[in-house]
């Protein structure tokens, strides 16, 4: 179950334990995947600009300035984020994540919702994306930017059709959950 708190005009996911934090897979989302795609493109940063804020942060503000490679700076950034968030969970008992990866602590929890799925409450439609890496052989499913796993824990499928079946099943489950309240 996921608890969402309404604060500062939007919904935030409440994370109140290290185990819960590790289970949400913070970096398995469309923003980080798009960053990896842009950082792997040799034209980006030279001929084309970065359009992803995470890729821009890693390349422009970290790798270029330190002289370290992109992989080292990506790992360093992820480590900094993990360490700081875990430190805040231990210190304050919970952190709150927004859909873009931002985080805070110390929220008032008067307005909250608990859901079975990690889909933010103000998502009034389901943005479904089935993607395949260039030259890749597997298909990955994202709903509202979050990577989706099937009931067996698989996150990739051999055919587009199978990923589409998983999406349909997942959406049916979400719609049923919404109707049940």
């Amino acid at each position: 179950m996921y608890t969402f708190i309404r604060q500062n005009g939007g919904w935030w996911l409440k994370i109140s334990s290290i185990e819960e934090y590790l289970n949400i897979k913070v970096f398995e989302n469309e923003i980080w995947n798009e960053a990896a795609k842009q950082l792997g493109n040799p034209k980006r940063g030279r001929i084309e600009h970065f359009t992803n804020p995470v890729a821009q942060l890693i390349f422009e503000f970290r790798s270029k300035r330190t002289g370290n490679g992109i992989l080292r700076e990506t790992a360093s950034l992820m480590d900094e984020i993990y360490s700081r968030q875990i430190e805040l969970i231990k210190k304050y008992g919970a952190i709150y994540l927004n859909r873009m990866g931002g985080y805070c602590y110390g929220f008032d929890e008067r307005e909250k919702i608990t859901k079975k799925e990690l889909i933010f409450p103000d998502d009034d439609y389901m943005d479904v994306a089935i993607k395949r890496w260039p030259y890749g052989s597997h298909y990955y499913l994202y709903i509202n930017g979050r990577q989706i796993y099937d009931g067996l824990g698989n996150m990739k499928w051999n055919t587009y059709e199978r990923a589409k079946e998983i999406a349909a099943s997942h959406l049916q489950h979400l719609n049923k959950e919404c109707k049940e309240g």
Side-chain angles (χ1 to χ4, degrees), residues 6-51:
R6 186 162 178 78
Q7 191 78 30
N8 299 331
W11 289 96
W12 298 71
L13 174 64
K14 180 181 180 181
I15 306 296
S16 52
S17 71
I18 305 303
E19 181 183 15
E20 191 178 0
Y21 178 76
L22 296 174
N23 285 331
I24 67 156
K25 300 170 177 69
V26 173
F27 297 107
E28 289 183 14
N29 65 47
E30 206 163 359
I31 294 169
W32 280 88
N33 288 336
E34 179 62 29
K37 194 171 161 183
Q38 286 189 13
L39 288 166
N41 180 347
K43 291 181 182 178
R44 296 283 181 167
R46 290 162 184 74
I47 300 168
E48 299 174 12
H49 294 287
F50 288 99
T51 58

Side-chain angles (χ1 to χ4, degrees), residues 8 12 27 36 51 74 78-79 88-89 118 122-124 131 139 142 162:
N8 299 331
W12 298 71
F27 297 107
T51 58
T74 301
M78 292 172 80
D79 184 51
L88 291 172
I89 292 169
L118 184 51
D122 55 352
D123 289 345
D124 56 354
K131 298 184 176 187
Y139 294 86
Y142 299 87
R162 180 63 183 147

Side-chain angles (χ1 to χ4, degrees), residues 12-134:
W12 298 71
L13 174 64
K14 180 181 180 181
I15 306 296
S16 52
S17 71
I18 305 303
E19 181 183 15
E20 191 178 0
Y21 178 76
L22 296 174
N23 285 331
I24 67 156
K25 300 170 177 69
V26 173
F27 297 107
E28 289 183 14
N29 65 47
E30 206 163 359
I31 294 169
W32 280 88
N33 288 336
E34 179 62 29
K37 194 171 161 183
Q38 286 189 13
L39 288 166
N41 180 347
K43 291 181 182 178
R44 296 283 181 167
R46 290 162 184 74
I47 300 168
E48 299 174 12
H49 294 287
F50 288 99
T51 58
N52 178 283
V54 173
Q56 188 174 18
L57 171 68
I58 291 167
F59 185 79
E60 296 288 335
F61 298 105
R62 293 181 69 108
S63 184
K64 253 179 148 177
R65 291 185 180 172
T66 64
N68 292 330
I70 289 171
L71 291 177
R72 175 177 270 161
E73 287 303 328
T74 301
S76 174
L77 177 61
M78 292 172 80
D79 184 51
E80 286 175 33
I81 293 170
Y82 270 138
S83 297
R84 181 68 177 143
Q85 290 177 339
I86 288 171
E87 175 186 317
L88 291 172
I89 292 169
K90 288 178 181 177
K91 185 173 182 177
Y92 296 102
I95 61 170
Y96 306 88
L97 301 173
N98 68 23
R99 72 178 73 247
M100 300 301 289
Y103 60 95
C104 290
Y105 58 89
F107 280 172
D108 175 344
E109 295 189 14
R110 281 181 280 176
E111 191 175 351
K112 65 181 175 181
I113 293 175
T114 302
K115 297 180 77 173
K116 290 180 186 174
E117 296 289 334
L118 184 51
I119 303 292
F120 280 76
D122 55 352
D123 289 345
D124 56 354
Y125 72 96
M126 297 296 147
D127 179 22
V128 177
I130 298 173
K131 298 184 176 187
R132 184 175 62 135
W133 289 96

Side-chain angles (χ1 to χ4, degrees), residues 100-180:
M100 300 301 289
Y103 60 95
C104 290
Y105 58 89
F107 280 172
D108 175 344
E109 295 189 14
R110 281 181 280 176
E111 191 175 351
K112 65 181 175 181
I113 293 175
T114 302
K115 297 180 77 173
K116 290 180 186 174
E117 296 289 334
L118 184 51
I119 303 292
F120 280 76
D122 55 352
D123 289 345
D124 56 354
Y125 72 96
M126 297 296 147
D127 179 22
V128 177
I130 298 173
K131 298 184 176 187
R132 184 175 62 135
W133 289 96
Y135 309 108
S137 60
H138 295 103
Y139 294 86
Y140 301 84
L141 172 62
Y142 299 87
I143 296 180
N144 293 3
R146 298 287 305 175
Q147 190 161 20
I148 301 299
Y149 293 74
D150 67 15
L152 301 173
N154 298 316
M155 61 182 232
K156 60 184 178 180
W157 299 275
N158 293 330
T159 66
Y160 180 88
E161 290 73 23
R162 180 63 183 147
K164 195 172 177 182
E165 287 172 15
I166 298 297
S169 172
H170 202 78
L171 289 172
Q172 183 178 16
H173 173 74
L174 287 174
N175 286 335
K176 183 180 176 190
E177 180 182 305
C178 289
K179 289 176 185 170
E180 291 175 357

